Amino acid sequence: MDKQRVMAALDAVKKAQGILTDAQAAECSDLYPDWDGNGKEYVIGERVLYEGVLYKVNQTHTSQPNWTPASEPALYARVLSGQSGEVGVFEKPTAQNPYMKGARVHFPTASDPVYECLYDNNVFSPAEWPQGWKVVD
């Protein structure tokens, strides 16, 4: 493959990264770059991998080594499991990373039933808002 075709393919991947939904991005998280804590400029909506987990940037900022995606929920929102077809364990979402209709999660633990989210932008657990979820397993 020649260099021009490789560069065109890379450009296409970069464009796709920005238009994918969280669910789609979670399915191909390996396409996203690793988080860089050494003064990298991040803008709202960018996605990065940190310790194998996909995060979305909540606020435009310049990264610092101690502002990791796992430790700074004001700057980064974890792309939650259950959004991309896999069934993870329920994690408390924020307004920046709510569950969307169709997401499936075990609640409250991995050995408990699977629930399906019935509404977009759901930030409540099945216990907090039972009408927002239905048992499917």
Side-chain angles (χ1 to χ4, degrees):
M1 190 178 272
D2 64 54
K3 183 177 179 179
Q4 185 176 6
R5 289 180 66 197
V6 169
M7 296 307 291
L10 287 173
D11 285 342
V13 168
K14 286 180 184 176
K15 286 177 187 172
Q17 288 173 337
I19 61 172
L20 296 176
T21 65
D22 284 348
Q24 292 166 331
E27 289 179 20
C28 56
S29 62
D30 289 343
L31 293 176
Y32 291 89
D34 288 330
W35 177 73
D36 179 349
N38 297 312
K40 171 143 177 28
E41 294 284 329
Y42 285 111
V43 297
I44 294 172
E46 274 187 86
R47 295 184 185 103
V48 295
L49 283 173
Y50 179 72
E51 296 181 346
V53 176
L54 187 62
Y55 290 85
K56 186 167 32 175
V57 176
N58 292 334
Q59 292 183 35
T60 297
H61 67 281
T62 301
S63 68
Q64 295 183 18
N66 59 334
W67 290 356
T68 69
S71 68
E72 294 297 329
L75 298 177
Y76 304 93
R78 182 177 179 157
V79 176
L80 298 174
S81 62
Q83 303 285 46
S84 64
E86 86 279 6
V87 179
V89 176
F90 178 86
E91 299 174 58
K92 182 66 177 163
T94 65
Q96 288 82 20
N97 67 338
Y99 284 102
M100 303 305 277
K101 184 176 181 177
R104 291 183 172 205
V105 295
H106 288 279
F107 180 80
T109 70
S111 59
D112 287 307
V114 174
Y115 287 79
E116 183 175 314
C117 182
L118 299 176
Y119 300 96
D120 283 343
N121 301 310
N122 187 349
V123 296
F124 301 103
S125 75
E128 295 169 314
W129 191 44
Q131 61 271 33
W133 298 88
K134 71 176 180 181
V135 177
V136 294
D137 188 52

